[in-house]
């Protein structure tokens, strides 16, 4: 980019700072973007977010790309969020006590052992009711 183009971007950004400091009403869809002509195309300022894009006329329309600094900041934010999601997923897996996936053979055996003890104890209670001659409760 030429010095004139960089100067135009700097002027555009600097002209937006006082406007942002006065906290004007939020831009509407009609005036959200401000375009400034440069030697190679246009510079577009999103007055709502402050994002700057470089635009060129192509195929009868404008094609805009983020400024390099903003793109880098955007990618850094995405990387940071991806790391946070990964850390949260690991934390969630650790809080469960095992990694996600099917249970191991040992876990299945432990579960079946618990169920077997429950059933044996339950059947023992039923047998006690029968031996005492008490009728079984009707839960239907």
């Amino acid at each position: 980019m030429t010095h004139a183009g960089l100067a135009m971007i700097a002027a555009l950004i600097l002209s937006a700072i006082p406007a942002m400091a006065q906290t004007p009403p939020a831009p509407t869809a009609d005036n959200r973007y401000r375009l400034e002509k440069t030697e190679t195309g246009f510079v577009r300022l999103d007055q709502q977010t402050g994002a700057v894009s470089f635009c060129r006329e192509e195929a009868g329309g404008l094609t805009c790309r983020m400024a390099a600094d903003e793109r880098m900041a955007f990618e850094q934010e995405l990387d940071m969020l991806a790391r946070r999601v990964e850390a949260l997923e690991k934390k969630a897996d650790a809080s469960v006590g095992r990694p996600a996936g099917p249970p191991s053979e040992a876990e299945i055996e432990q579960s079946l052992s618990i169920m077997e003890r429950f059933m044996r104890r339950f059947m023992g209670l039923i047998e006690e009711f029968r031996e005492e001659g008490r009728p079984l409760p009707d839960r239907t």
Side-chain angles (χ1 to χ4, degrees):
M1 177 164 279
T2 65
H3 291 294
L6 291 174
M8 177 61 80
I9 293 170
L12 183 63
I13 291 172
L14 290 175
S15 70
I17 291 174
M20 288 189 293
Q22 295 173 357
T23 321
T28 63
D30 296 341
N31 68 355
R32 177 174 175 177
Y33 297 100
R34 180 172 169 192
L35 288 174
E36 292 291 328
K37 184 120 174 92
T38 66
E39 295 171 2
T40 59
F42 296 91
V43 175
R44 179 181 75 176
L45 171 66
D46 183 336
Q47 296 184 88
Q48 186 174 353
T49 65
V52 176
S53 303
F54 299 102
C55 304
R56 291 187 178 193
E57 290 185 69
E58 295 177 2
L62 284 179
T63 302
C64 298
R65 299 194 187 339
M66 276 191 236
D69 292 343
E70 288 182 16
R71 177 115 186 125
M72 187 170 56
F74 176 73
E75 288 175 0
Q76 287 173 344
E77 181 77 9
L78 284 178
D79 290 342
M80 187 269 307
L81 290 172
R83 286 190 304 271
R84 285 182 63 193
V85 167
E86 186 177 327
L88 288 171
E89 286 173 344
K90 285 180 183 178
K91 186 177 179 181
D93 287 345
S95 70
V96 172
R98 64 175 182 83
S104 68
E105 285 297 318
E107 291 171 322
I108 292 172
E109 287 301 318
Q110 182 183 13
S111 298
L112 289 174
S113 175
I114 291 169
M115 289 173 26
E116 182 180 7
R117 283 194 339 239
F118 170 79
M119 288 302 294
R120 287 187 188 277
R121 183 178 250 169
F122 180 73
M123 294 307 284
L125 289 173
I126 290 176
E127 197 58 39
E128 283 180 29
F129 274 114
R130 285 189 181 143
E131 288 174 1
E132 292 176 3
R134 296 190 319 199
L136 295 175
D138 184 14
R139 299 286 181 189
T140 58

